[in-house]
Amino acid sequence: ASIPPAKSEAHRVLLMAALANRECRLHGFPPPLCDDTQAMINGVTALGATVAQEGETLLVTPAPAGPLTKTPVTCEVHACAAALRMLIPAFLMRGQAVRFTMEDALFHRPLSAFDPLMEKLGAVMTRIPSVPGIRAAVELSGHMPAGVYEIDGSLSSQFASGMLIALSHARGADGLPAPSTLLVKPPIVSRPYLDMTLQLMDRFHLGCAERGSGLFELACATSDAPEQLAVSPDW
């Protein structure tokens, strides 16, 4: 029997491949895919990428640069906190309004690490509890240009990972790729997962240098994304 992919890696490479500058084949995704992996596929599809299953490989065609839709897109994230927390910065970076629908269990998990970011950006994140027949939702609108940001590292590394990936694709006021800085305020929980994000960013040639503990300088890709990448099996 084929071994499913390690979800933590799968989430990160799917998002990076969707934001990359060329198609990428991701190996190690035997069907059927679990809800958590599907949640991230739903997210990158809502961002404008396409994901095609070819045997045990996913062919990811990146989201085009624009223009974005004026109306919010809808994205089902099931019960997957990692997908939701990593997708929120990506949608803000793209300036694409979105309505995430989800299980009640996920709706009740915190997103408060993003509250200072929303205030800084003048962005809006609205939580809508479920009612009979209608799923819980989080609606998001706003835009995150390249710049200087910080995020609380004590709640979950997923918030910081999402910010690192998004800001390494951020653009300045002129619409061109531009560098950013992210301070992940200590204590940083689950640091190995943050390190996994950094290692995978390196494989996508996304520039990231840590200056002191938790201060990251981010630069856009210096060369093409990999044409293929294998995700570790989840032994």
Side-chain angles (χ1 to χ4, degrees), residues 13-36:
V13 298
L14 275 163
L15 184 52
M16 290 182 216
L19 297 173
N21 56 6
R22 67 173 174 186
E23 285 187 343
C24 182
R25 279 185 162 79
L26 303 176
H27 303 289
F29 286 83
L33 302 175
C34 71
D35 280 355
D36 281 7

Side-chain angles (χ1 to χ4, degrees), residues 53-224:
Q53 182 103 39
E54 300 177 346
E56 298 192 358
T57 297
L58 297 181
L59 173 62
V60 182
T61 304
L68 305 176
T69 65
K70 294 289 190 285
T71 53
V73 293
T74 302
C75 173
E76 170 61 52
V77 289
H78 300 291
C80 186
L84 177 62
R85 290 167 175 174
M86 285 189 232
L87 285 166
I88 284 172
F91 277 90
L92 287 170
M93 180 272 296
R94 295 272 293 166
Q96 176 63 63
V98 58
R99 177 186 173 94
F100 295 104
T101 54
M102 64 197 66
E103 303 285 349
D104 284 345
L106 174 56
F107 181 79
H108 294 299
R109 295 186 67 178
L111 292 172
S112 53
F114 285 134
D115 289 346
L117 176 67
M118 298 297 153
E119 188 173 339
K120 175 184 172 86
L121 297 174
V124 179
M125 184 166 64
T126 308
R127 299 168 66 88
I128 304 165
S130 64
V131 295
I134 300 177
R135 295 169 69 70
V138 172
E139 292 183 347
L140 178 74
S141 63
H143 179 235
M144 180 172 69
V148 178
Y149 296 94
E150 59 182 45
I151 192 87
D152 188 339
S154 70
L155 302 174
S156 167
S157 64
Q158 294 162 352
F159 299 106
S161 288
M163 289 292 288
L164 287 168
I165 295 168
L167 287 173
S168 62
H169 297 86
R171 294 172 179 265
D174 58 4
L176 296 174
S180 292
T181 302
L182 178 68
L183 173 63
V184 183
K185 295 192 291 186
I188 302 175
V189 298
S190 309
R191 176 69 205 222
Y193 284 99
L194 201 59
D195 291 337
M196 176 194 293
T197 302
L198 297 170
Q199 289 158 8
L200 292 169
M201 285 172 63
D202 187 56
R203 296 184 68 180
F204 277 86
H205 307 297
L206 300 169
C208 181
E210 188 169 3
R211 311 290 185 199
S213 181
L215 180 63
F216 297 93
E217 291 180 358
L218 298 153
C220 300
T222 51
S223 56
D224 287 342

